[in-house]
Amino acid sequence: MPANKTGPAPKKKKGRRGRLVAVAVVLLLVAGIAFGAFWGVNTVRASFPQTTGSLKLAGLTDPVDVRRDAHGIPQIYADTDEDLFRAQGYVQAQDRFWEMDVRRHMTAGRLSEMFGKDQVDTDSFLRTLGWHRVAQREYDTKLSPATKKYLQAYSAGVNAYLKDHEGSALSLEYAALDLQNDYKPEQWTPVDSVAWLKAMAWDLRGNMQDEIDRSLMTSRLDARQIADLYPAYPYKRNKPIVEGGAVNPVTKEFDPKGHGTGTTANGTPGGAAQSLQKQLSALSTSLDKVPALLGPNGNGIGSNSWVVAGSHTTTGKPLLANDPHLAPQMPSLWYQMGLHCRATGPKCNYDVAGYTFSGMPGVIIGHNQDVSWGMTNLGADVTDLYLEKITTDGYLYDGRHRPFTTRKETIKVAGGPSHEITVRSTANGPLVSDRDDELATVGKRAPVGNAAPDRGDGYAISLRWTALDPGKSMDAVFELNRAKDWTDFRKAAADFEVPSQNLIYADTKGNIGYQAPGRIPVRAKGDGSLPAPGWDSAYRWTGTIPQSALPWEYNPARGYIVTANQAVVDEKKYPYLLTKDWGYGARSQRINDLIESKIKDGGKVSTDDMQSFQQDNSSQIARILTPYLTKVNISDPYVREAQQLLDGWDFTQEPDSAAAAYFNGVWRNLLKLAFGNKMPKELRVKGECLTVRPAAGTGPVEDLDKFVRECGERAPDMAQPDGGDRWYEVVRSILDDPDNAWWKTADLPGHPGAENRDQLLAHAMKDARYELTSKLGKNIDNWTWGRLHQLFLKNQTLGTEGPGFLQGLFNRGPWNVGGGEAAVNATGWNASGGYGVTWVPSMRMVVNLADLDKSRWINLTGASGHAYDAHYYDQTDKWAKGELLPWAFGEEAVKKGTKDTLTLTP
C-alpha cells in the first residue's frame, strides 16, 4: 500500500492511548513481565517531562519561567546569564537526554560502554582522532572565563535533572538498554558540550571523501578520465557568493603559484594515488563506521541561506532564510528554543531564539533583538591525508628518522573485557591507518616512484585536520548570540574557527552581510586534492589564511546574498586556496534566479515568497537532459509510453508527479551505464556485482584481457556516482558530443552495447521503465515521485541497530516527499544507492527583521525525544507540506502563544 504524502504510512494513525497499549504488549512479549501492559504504559510515560507547575532547581539565583507553546517549544525567562543557561541544560535534558548521552559517548569514543563490542572499531577510530582530548584542551586553555561559566551552569542544570531521574524516567531507550546491560549515565561535564563541535566539524570537514575517491579511481581510470569526473567550477553560469572578491588588503604569506600542482605522494601525477588503493579503500570503510550525525560522512551535505535587503522586500527591512541539509533522524538534530533575559544588562546579556543543539548551551542559528544569522557549509579544504614512511618505532621526515608520539587508550565494553589500543602520531597527525587490519601492512606491494622512500615494511596514512588543534568556536556561539551590529558579528565570526561555515547576516537597521570564517590552512606545496607525501616537509601546513583576508560582503549593490555551498569567490580573483571541491552551484543559481525574477522591474519579495523559494522543486539536470531524451527514437511501445511522460513536463519534482519519477529513474540508470559500471569496486554499491577486467596492479599484465566477477564495497548512501550537481556538470559537458567515450559500453560483457549517446539514453530509458514497473506497477498513471522518494525517520541508535521490535518503537515514516538532489528543496538521494531520502532540509526558517514576531520556523520532527510524546514528530507533517509555524519572540507574543508554563525555583 503506497504511503500518503503528509503522514506516516503504511500504518494508520491511532489514538495516543492505543499506541501506548501497543507498546505495552510488545514489552510484555519481549520482557515476559507479569502485568506487562501496566508496566509498559508506565515505562513509556515515565520520561515525559513536567511542563506545568513548579520544580526546584538547585543553584538558581531567582525563579525562571519556562513557557512552552502548542508544539512544546520552550522559551526560557531568567534574570541572570547563569540562571538562563542552567535552565537551558535542565529543559534540554527533560526532552532530549538520550540524544545528548549518545552524542557525548560518540564524541569521546565510548559507544562500546553503552552498546557493547560491536562499537569497538568505531570507538578505536574516534579515540585515534581524539575529539574529547582536544575539547578538554580547548576548555582548559582557549575559552573565555564567561564561556566557561556558562558551560558550567548548563552542566549543572543537566546534572540536576539526572539527580532525580534514572532508567526509564530519563527516556524509553534506557528501559530498552536495561534489557541488554547495566548501563547508568554519568554526570554531564562542560567538555561534553564542547566536544559536540568536533562532531559537527567532522561531518562538515570538506573534501576528504573526494580526496579518497579520486585516489581510488586510479585503479580503473586514467588522469584524463578522472579530470572529466571533476570538472572546473562554472563561474560564468553559477555565481559565486562574493561576486566582487571582497577581501581586505593583506600581505601574502605564501606564493599562490605553489598551489594547484596536481602532484601526489611520489611527486608524479597519479602515481601515488595508485599506491594508496588498498589503504584508502580500507580507510573509506572505517569512515563509514563513524556515526554520521549530520549527513552521510560529509558527502553531499549542503544547505541554503539567503538574505534580501529591505529595498527589495515588501516589509522595507531584510528577510533572511536558512535551511541546513543534514541527515534525517529521530529526533531532529535541532532543538528550537528561546533564551530571554527579563531585562538585558550586565547581569543578563541574552535575548535570543532559534535552533540549538541538545547538549550545548546557546543558540546556533537564529536571531536576537538586533541581528539574525544563518549558516551553510563553506566546504573549505581543512583536511589532508599524508602517506607516511614508517618503521616499527617511528617514521621518516626530511630524510631523518623520528619517533612516534604515542598514547594508550582503554575502551570499556559493556558485557565484555576492555580493549586497549595504542594511538601513534607523526608530525602531520594521528595514524588513522592503524585502525584497520588491512592498513597495518599498507604499501607492501605499492608501486611508488623513485621520488618516494623505499617501501620497507610499508606505508601508513596520517590525517591533518584543523579541528584537532584547540580553538575558540564555543566563544563564538555566545558572541553571535549577543551581537548587536555588523562589527560584533564579524568579531564573533573571527572566533568561529571550526567548522568553517558561510555566515549570512541581517539586522533590524536594514543592513545585510556575509562573512566566511574559519581556520583554513595554507599549504607550502600541493593543493589538497590528493594525498601528500608525509616524509617531505615541503607539503606541510605553514599557517592559516588570516581572518582579515577571508571573503566578505556588506550591503552589496545587488541587494541580496545567496549561499548554497557554491564557490565563495572566483579563484582567479582571490589569492588564497579555499578548496578545489566546491559544490557546483545548481541550488545557489536557482535561488539567485528566483530572487532576480521577483525583483526585476521593481518587484518586491515577501515572507511568503521566501517560504515558497524554499519549496522550489525544479530539477536543473531535467531541464538540461529532457530535450535530448524526448528526441530519442524509441521503437518499443512499452518504453515509449513512459517516454511520453516527459512531453510538456515543467521539470518540477512534486511528490505526485509521474514525470519526475520516470525522469529520475532515467537519470539513475544513465549514470550507472555511463559511469557507475566503470568505477572501481571500492566506489560501487556493496553487494552489486559486475563482470569486469581486473584492475591495474592487481595481477600479471597478461591477465588484464581476462574478465573477473567483482562486487561493490561501499554503503549505498556513499557510493558513486551519487547524482549530485557535480554529475550535472559531467553530463552537461558531453551531451553535445554524441560519440564521447563515456557513452560507450559495448566492451563491457553483459552490458548493453551502446556505441553513442542516443543508444545509451535509449538503454537508460528502457531500464528505467522496467525498474519503475517493478517498484510502482505497470500502469504509469499510478506512478508518483513520492512513492519512490520516501523519507524515513530513524532513531540513530536503537532505531538502526536494535532488534526489529525496538526499531518499530522509535522510528517513524515513511513520508512521500517531493524535491530532490541539488534542488532548492533538497531532499537528497544517492543515485547509486536508490531513491530513498538520505538528507533533508533539517529545519527551515524565515526571519522578518521588520517585525521579528512575524518570523516563521519549522523543525523536521518535534521538540521531544521521547517516543509517543505528543511532540515527538508533531512538526513533520507540516514540514512535509512545506508549511512553517509562527515564531513568537517578543514577550507579549510568547505569552499569547503559551500553552504550558513551568516555574523553576531556587
Side-chain angles (χ1 to χ4, degrees):
M1 174 176 167
N4 60 48
K5 300 175 187 175
T6 59
K11 295 179 181 178
K12 296 180 180 179
K13 293 186 178 180
K14 300 179 180 179
R16 187 171 170 220
R17 175 69 183 176
R19 292 196 299 269
L20 293 174
V21 170
V23 173
V25 172
V26 171
L27 291 174
L28 172 62
L29 292 174
V30 173
I33 298 175
F35 307 104
F38 175 81
W39 179 84
V41 170
N42 280 275
T43 298
V44 170
R45 291 178 182 272
S47 60
F48 292 180
Q50 179 178 339
T51 58
T52 59
S54 64
L55 287 170
K56 289 190 178 297
L57 176 53
L60 287 179
T61 304
D62 299 293
V64 173
D65 290 329
V66 182
R67 298 172 182 161
R68 293 178 184 259
D69 66 11
H71 287 86
I73 299 170
Q75 305 274 352
I76 300 176
Y77 290 83
D79 293 321
T80 70
D81 290 337
E82 291 93 327
D83 283 356
L84 190 64
F85 294 118
R86 188 181 299 261
Q88 184 183 15
Y90 187 90
V91 170
Q92 287 191 339
Q94 278 187 306
D95 283 335
R96 297 283 192 95
F97 185 74
W98 169 263
E99 177 189 14
M100 293 164 59
D101 201 14
V102 171
R103 280 184 187 173
R104 67 165 165 175
H105 279 79
M106 190 271 282
T107 57
R110 297 174 55 193
L111 290 169
S112 300
E113 295 178 22
M114 297 183 75
F115 304 110
K117 63 181 180 180
D118 289 345
Q119 298 300 318
V120 168
D121 288 346
T122 298
D123 283 345
S124 297
F125 190 82
L126 293 168
R127 294 285 185 97
T128 297
L129 295 179
W131 293 351
H132 201 270
R133 290 169 53 87
V134 179
Q136 183 70 61
R137 289 165 61 197
E138 288 184 355
Y139 182 79
D140 291 342
T141 65
K142 290 288 186 178
L143 299 183
S144 71
T147 294
K148 290 183 179 181
K149 182 171 62 176
Y150 301 155
L151 288 164
Q152 291 163 2
Y154 180 91
S155 296
V158 176
N159 291 329
Y161 188 75
L162 290 180
K163 181 180 178 182
D164 298 325
H165 298 80
E166 62 179 16
S168 61
L170 275 174
S171 192
L172 179 60
E173 287 92 337
Y174 289 104
L177 202 63
D178 280 344
L179 299 176
Q180 300 182 26
N181 63 57
D182 195 28
Y183 171 79
K184 302 294 181 187
E186 60 190 35
Q187 294 281 290
W188 192 268
T189 73
V191 178
D192 291 334
S193 296
V194 177
W196 169 239
L197 286 172
K198 300 305 172 186
M200 182 181 176
W202 177 252
D203 278 359
L204 300 174
R205 62 191 178 272
N207 77 332
M208 185 173 169
Q209 194 64 53
D210 286 321
E211 190 175 341
I212 292 171
D213 288 355
R214 273 190 290 264
S215 298
L216 291 172
M217 286 179 185
T218 59
S219 69
R220 291 205 171 275
L221 305 177
D222 60 32
R224 181 193 58 78
Q225 291 172 315
I226 295 173
D228 287 346
L229 303 185
Y230 289 88
Y233 185 89
Y235 288 101
K236 291 184 178 179
R237 188 183 339 107
N238 296 341
K239 298 175 184 177
I241 297 171
V242 178
E243 295 180 36
V247 295
N248 289 337
V250 293
T251 301
K252 295 179 184 177
E253 299 178 357
F254 71 107
D255 179 5
K257 295 179 181 178
H259 290 276
T261 62
T263 60
T264 54
N266 66 355
T268 60
Q274 287 183 320
S275 77
L276 290 172
Q277 188 78 13
K278 286 182 175 292
Q279 300 93 308
L280 292 173
S281 174
L283 175 58
S284 182
T285 300
S286 295
L287 296 180
D288 285 344
K289 295 176 182 177
V290 178
L293 291 179
L294 303 187
N297 282 327
N299 188 36
I301 290 179
S303 301
N304 299 325
S305 70
W306 65 92
V307 60
V308 182
S311 58
H312 292 314
T313 69
T314 58
T315 67
K317 289 289 177 71
L319 294 170
L320 184 150
N322 196 188
D323 54 285
H325 306 155
L326 306 173
Q329 55 188 270
M330 178 60 82
S332 166
L333 188 79
W334 301 107
Y335 183 89
Q336 296 152 288
M337 198 172 216
L339 301 171
H340 307 278
C341 292
R342 292 191 179 98
T344 56
K347 289 176 56 180
C348 205
N349 292 274
Y350 297 90
D351 188 14
V352 61
Y355 295 86
T356 72
F357 288 139
S358 302
M360 211 173 89
V363 170
I364 304 301
I365 294 174
H367 69 80
N368 60 28
Q369 70 273 32
D370 298 307
V371 309
S372 179
W373 65 96
M375 296 185 189
T376 63
N377 191 19
L378 192 151
D381 186 357
V382 295
T383 60
D384 276 345
L385 295 172
Y386 287 89
L387 183 64
E388 304 279 4
K389 175 64 189 76
I390 65 170
T391 62
T392 55
D393 59 351
Y395 61 99
L396 193 69
Y397 195 75
D398 281 346
R400 300 183 62 181
H401 183 269
R402 288 189 178 187
F404 292 117
T405 300
T406 63
R407 70 176 189 271
K408 300 285 187 182
E409 294 276 355
T410 301
I411 299 169
K412 296 179 180 179
V413 181
S418 296
H419 182 78
E420 186 175 272
I421 64 170
T422 299
V423 177
R424 304 187 296 175
S425 297
T426 72
N428 297 309
L431 292 184
V432 289
S433 55
D434 279 354
R435 301 284 71 87
D436 190 280
D437 290 340
E438 185 176 359
L439 293 182
T441 57
V442 298
K444 286 189 175 181
R445 297 186 300 166
V448 295
N450 293 331
D454 181 78
R455 65 171 59 88
D457 291 329
Y459 297 100
I461 301 170
S462 64
L463 171 66
R464 183 83 167 95
W465 179 33
T466 54
L468 298 184
D469 297 323
K472 299 190 293 182
S473 293
M474 197 72 237
D475 283 349
V477 171
F478 297 109
E479 291 168 357
L480 280 173
N481 285 194
R482 59 177 183 263
K484 295 184 179 301
D485 54 29
W486 174 245
T487 300
D488 288 348
F489 175 78
R490 292 195 76 197
K491 182 179 180 296
D495 286 336
F496 204 90
E497 298 169 321
V498 176
S500 185
Q501 297 287 284
N502 295 307
L503 293 176
I504 61 166
Y505 167 91
D507 63 37
T508 55
K509 294 180 179 179
N511 301 299
I512 65 172
Y514 163 82
Q515 178 67 58
R519 185 190 299 146
I520 303 172
V522 171
R523 297 167 178 85
K525 189 178 180 181
D527 63 8
S529 61
L530 288 166
W535 52 81
D536 187 349
S537 64
Y539 289 84
R540 72 193 186 284
W541 291 2
T542 60
T544 58
I545 300 175
Q547 178 69 23
S548 60
L550 288 170
W552 58 276
E553 278 192 319
Y554 187 60
N555 291 330
R558 65 184 178 278
Y560 64 89
I561 301 169
V562 175
T563 86
N565 317 113
Q566 78 271 42
V568 171
V569 63
D570 191 331
E571 62 184 11
K572 295 179 181 178
K573 301 178 181 179
Y574 187 68
Y576 294 95
L577 175 70
L578 296 174
T579 186
K580 289 289 185 179
D581 291 298
W582 301 112
Y584 280 79
R587 280 181 291 108
S588 62
Q589 193 53 46
R590 176 61 178 171
I591 298 167
N592 274 298
D593 292 344
L594 289 168
I595 296 172
E596 285 286 352
S597 68
K598 192 69 181 180
I599 67 176
K600 69 180 180 180
D601 302 323
K604 302 290 185 178
V605 176
S606 68
T607 305
D608 287 342
D609 292 329
M610 298 286 277
Q611 183 174 341
S612 69
F613 293 169
Q614 290 179 324
Q615 288 300 307
D616 185 80
N617 287 327
S618 176
S619 169
Q620 185 192 89
I621 189 59
R623 192 176 301 274
I624 296 165
L625 184 59
T626 298
Y628 293 84
L629 296 174
T630 55
K631 291 176 183 177
V632 173
N633 183 24
I634 300 294
S635 58
D636 185 342
Y638 194 62
V639 180
R640 173 64 182 150
E641 181 187 33
Q643 183 189 33
Q644 289 174 332
L645 289 171
L646 303 178
D647 293 337
W649 179 44
D650 64 358
F651 316 118
T652 59
Q653 302 169 99
E654 297 297 331
D656 61 355
S657 171
Y662 183 58
F663 173 81
N664 283 311
V666 174
W667 175 237
R668 167 172 149 82
N669 281 279
L670 180 160
L671 291 173
K672 180 179 180 180
L673 292 169
F675 308 103
N677 291 343
K678 300 168 187 175
M679 293 284 179
K681 64 180 184 300
E682 292 87 358
L683 272 67
R684 299 201 312 269
V685 174
K686 186 175 182 179
E688 292 188 1
C689 302
L690 296 171
T691 300
V692 297
R693 287 190 176 88
T698 60
V701 174
E702 59 269 18
D703 289 340
L704 294 184
D705 288 332
K706 300 178 181 178
F707 290 94
V708 296
R709 191 71 171 162
E710 197 175 75
C711 298
E713 298 179 353
R714 184 162 287 186
D717 61 359
M718 290 296 294
Q720 291 293 335
D722 61 22
D725 63 357
R726 172 164 67 88
W727 293 98
Y728 294 8
E729 293 300 315
V730 171
V731 172
R732 183 198 294 266
S733 69
I734 63 173
L735 266 177
D736 290 328
D737 181 7
D739 295 317
N740 189 283
W742 286 109
W743 300 120
K744 299 179 181 180
T745 63
D747 61 336
L748 299 176
H751 298 288
E755 293 285 355
N756 56 42
R757 179 196 64 204
D758 287 354
Q759 288 181 12
L760 187 136
L761 294 181
H763 282 301
M765 285 191 281
K766 177 182 177 181
D767 289 352
R769 175 38 157 143
Y770 283 93
E771 182 188 10
L772 267 62
T773 296
S774 69
K775 295 179 181 295
L776 302 177
K778 292 182 179 180
N779 187 349
I780 63 173
D781 293 336
N782 294 331
W783 289 5
T784 68
W785 174 225
R787 287 177 60 203
L788 276 180
H789 190 52
Q790 294 187 325
L791 167 67
F792 288 85
L793 296 174
K794 296 184 178 182
N795 180 293
Q796 291 300 287
T797 51
L798 299 180
T800 56
E801 300 295 334
F805 81 92
L806 283 180
Q807 295 188 31
L809 296 182
F810 298 113
N811 298 342
R812 298 294 182 270
W815 283 262
N816 294 343
V817 297
E821 182 65 30
V824 179
N825 183 19
T827 54
W829 56 287
N830 185 298
S832 289
Y835 301 98
V837 175
T838 56
W839 53 83
V840 293
S842 56
M843 61 80 158
R844 298 185 183 104
M845 74 176 194
V846 177
V847 180
N848 183 332
L849 276 300
D851 185 346
L852 293 169
D853 288 328
K854 292 183 179 178
S855 301
R856 304 172 186 176
W857 61 352
I858 198 78
N859 204 352
L860 175 63
T861 59
S864 179
H866 302 295
Y868 302 98
D869 184 274
H871 305 304
Y872 190 48
Y873 67 108
D874 59 332
Q875 297 184 52
T876 310
D877 284 356
K878 294 180 180 295
W879 176 95
K881 295 175 183 176
E883 298 177 9
L884 299 178
L885 301 174
W887 182 356
F889 178 72
E891 187 169 9
E892 288 304 313
V894 170
K895 282 183 178 179
K896 186 177 180 181
T898 296
K899 181 180 179 182
D900 294 331
T901 300
L902 173 69
T903 300
L904 302 174
T905 61

